Amino acid sequence: MWSLEELRRNKELVNKIDWEMTQEKAIEMYLEWGTGWVRGNDFVATLGQESYYFVLYDWEQPPAATLIRRTTAGAEEIAKVQVPQELFAAAVAADGYRPGVGVHSLTPELRRWLCDRLAGVSLAA
């Protein structure tokens, strides 16, 4: 599992992060049983496709954002970045509690915080 410093040194990987991807969207795109049956062109067309995105696990202490690599074969945790408790709690609260689901998306504030830590990555990248 990579740390923030190791991730920061791998600019090629950092530039692949999809800041708009969520766990739900990744499941829709990569697993045939996903809920997005009307997706237009937003689906995985080849086995070689992959997505990198951050999620929050609401059970983790200390709070962290986990970088996921998702392919049609499954998901792999690549890195963990400790995040401020207040940003973590705000993101979990904003995403809403759903019984049995402890995986949450980033808020815009947490995305900006992570981008700042990754040095020079813009949300447009």
Side-chain angles (χ1 to χ4, degrees):
M1 184 81 55
W2 290 7
S3 68
L4 173 62
E5 291 304 319
E6 292 167 316
L7 183 57
R8 187 182 292 157
R9 285 192 296 267
N10 190 332
K11 292 296 184 190
E12 183 179 339
L13 176 58
V14 169
N15 288 332
K16 291 180 180 180
I17 296 171
D18 182 345
W19 293 100
E20 300 302 319
M21 182 66 73
T22 65
Q23 180 75 358
E24 294 85 1
K25 181 71 173 172
I27 289 170
E28 287 178 4
M29 288 177 62
Y30 286 90
L31 302 175
E32 66 184 358
W33 52 267
T35 59
W37 60 271
V38 182
R39 342 173 217 246
N41 293 325
D42 203 7
F43 61 92
V44 175
T46 66
L47 288 176
Q49 286 182 259
E50 60 187 10
S51 291
Y52 293 88
Y53 58 97
F54 280 101
V55 298
L56 305 173
Y57 298 130
D58 64 12
W59 61 84
E60 284 195 320
Q61 288 300 323
T66 302
L67 182 63
I68 304 289
R69 175 180 174 260
R70 168 73 68 180
T71 67
T72 55
E76 173 186 10
E77 295 180 353
I78 302 292
K80 285 203 183 283
V81 178
Q82 288 188 14
V83 299
Q85 176 65 42
E86 62 276 3
L87 290 176
F88 181 84
V92 170
D95 202 32
Y97 176 75
R98 296 167 305 226
V101 179
V103 182
H104 301 276
S105 303
L106 304 178
T107 58
E109 295 79 16
L110 192 47
R111 283 184 209 144
R112 280 191 294 279
W113 186 90
L114 282 166
C115 285
D116 287 348
R117 297 315 172 276
L118 293 171
V121 176
S122 82
L123 291 176

